[in-house]
């Protein structure tokens, strides 16, 4: 992820989105979206994902399959078996967690040939916690871009803090988040990091979010989380 730095100091913002997809809303629009969310029929209870304090992976898979069906996302062959899921060891899966499917993580012979294709799944109001990517022995720092397929996601990075965002973030994550500039991304809208090592996080809207990510080769050894209490497999 040794791509040229873009829009230094502006991060994941509507300007970058306008360049990519020809649309955008400013800070006022982002704040308006935060205050205008409606309550959908898709709803989950955190206690349903834990049995005697242990995370129930099968229940989590059920939830993501329900998310797929709600948005008419294809439940393709082996979709359930291929789900990668984590609650980051916090015990608050409906607030902080992640579902994903890595379709391809290509480790080519040459660094420039390496790439990754995956989809990210977030339940309603679920947060993918703040993290960043470093260079490893086998991978460049990971450069990422996303297109929202379904729902809505607040894609957060460096820049002027978005009013009203902090109140939506789980209490367990507020003190560890270091970036607060949100881009509201809806279906068909694209956003990206402004540089490979930028800290970033996402927060799904009330109907959850399904995003496709394009990136260079992913090496888990390069992932770092701002919240040191998180458990990342």
């Amino acid at each position: 992820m040794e791509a040229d730095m873009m829009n230094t100091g502006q991060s994941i913002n509507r300007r970058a989105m306008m360049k990519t997809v020809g649309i955008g809303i400013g800070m006022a629009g982002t704040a308006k979206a935060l205050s205008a969310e409606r309550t959908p029929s898709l709803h989950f209870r955190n206690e349903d994902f834990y049995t005697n304090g242990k995370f129930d992976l099968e229940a989590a898979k059920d939830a993501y399959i329900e998310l797929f069906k709600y948005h008419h996302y294809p439940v393709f062959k082996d979709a359930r078996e291929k789900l990668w899921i984590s609650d980051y060891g916090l015990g608050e899966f409906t607030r902080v967690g992640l579902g994903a499917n890595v379709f391809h993580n290509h480790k080519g012979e040459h660094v420039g040939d390496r790439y990754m294709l995956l989809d990210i799944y977030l339940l309603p109001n679920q947060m993918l916690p703040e993290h960043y990517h470093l260079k490893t022995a086998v991978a460049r720092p990971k450069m990422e871009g996303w297109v929202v397929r379904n729902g809505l996601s607040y894609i957060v990075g460096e820049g002027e803090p978005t009013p009203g965002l902090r109140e939506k973030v789980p209490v367990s994550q507020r003190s560890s988040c270091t970036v607060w500039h949100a881009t509201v991304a809806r279906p068909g809208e694209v956003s990206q990091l402004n540089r490979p090592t930028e800290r970033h996080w996402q927060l799904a809207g009330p109907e959850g979010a399904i995003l496709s990510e394009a990136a260079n080769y992913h090496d888990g050894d390069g992932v770092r989380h701002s919240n040191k209490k998180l458990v990342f497999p």
Side-chain angles (χ1 to χ4, degrees):
M1 186 161 37
E2 295 170 352
D4 292 338
M5 292 177 63
M6 299 176 57
N7 303 321
T8 303
Q10 292 299 314
S11 118
I12 310 168
N13 55 24
R14 297 311 275 183
R15 184 179 300 174
M17 183 177 288
M18 290 174 68
K19 291 181 179 179
T20 308
V21 296
I23 60 177
I25 62 175
M27 187 73 73
T30 302
K32 183 178 180 180
L34 281 165
S35 62
E37 295 177 346
R38 66 185 180 87
T39 302
S41 59
L42 194 65
H43 179 71
F44 301 97
R45 302 188 312 165
N46 194 66
E47 57 265 35
D48 292 337
F49 296 101
Y50 296 90
T51 302
N52 297 323
K54 183 179 179 180
F55 182 52
D56 188 337
L57 181 59
E58 294 305 313
K61 288 185 177 183
D62 288 341
Y64 284 119
I65 294 298
E66 186 175 343
L67 178 75
F68 294 173
K69 293 179 179 179
Y70 178 88
H71 287 293
H72 305 289
Y73 176 88
V75 183
F76 48 85
K77 181 181 178 181
D78 300 329
R80 182 185 179 89
E81 290 70 22
K82 292 179 179 179
L83 277 169
W84 182 94
I85 298 173
S86 178
D87 76 337
Y88 294 92
L90 295 178
E92 51 177 320
F93 181 61
T94 57
R95 298 305 312 277
V96 184
L98 172 66
N101 184 348
V102 179
F103 292 102
H104 198 56
N105 193 27
H106 179 65
K107 186 179 178 182
E109 181 179 352
H110 303 290
V111 173
D113 296 334
R114 299 171 185 175
Y115 63 91
M116 181 184 199
L117 298 172
L118 77 155
D119 277 2
I120 293 172
Y121 313 118
L122 296 172
L123 299 179
N125 306 305
Q126 190 177 47
M127 180 185 183
L128 190 171
E130 184 176 291
H131 63 286
Y132 54 104
H133 304 273
L134 300 178
K135 181 179 181 180
T136 72
V138 297
R140 296 177 294 174
K142 189 180 172 195
M143 184 64 184
E144 303 173 337
W146 310 270
V147 57
V148 174
R149 301 296 186 183
N150 306 94
L152 178 151
S153 183
Y154 300 97
I155 302 175
V156 185
E158 298 169 350
E160 183 180 352
T162 298
L165 182 61
R166 177 177 289 272
E167 290 72 19
K168 289 188 172 292
V169 172
V171 174
S172 66
Q173 304 306 302
R174 291 179 188 176
S175 63
S176 60
C177 286
T178 64
V179 294
W180 292 96
H181 183 83
T183 293
V184 178
R186 298 178 174 86
E189 296 181 350
V190 176
S191 190
Q192 66 181 40
L193 298 178
N194 77 335
R195 56 187 172 83
T197 57
E198 181 183 13
R199 296 190 187 222
H200 56 286
W201 52 276
Q202 295 198 30
L203 180 69
E207 294 181 288
I210 297 176
L211 308 93
S212 292
E213 177 181 304
N216 51 278
Y217 179 75
H218 175 79
D219 182 2
D221 289 342
V223 179
R224 298 291 185 275
H225 288 91
S226 299
N227 186 342
K228 303 305 180 183
K229 295 180 180 179
L230 299 183
V231 177
F232 185 69

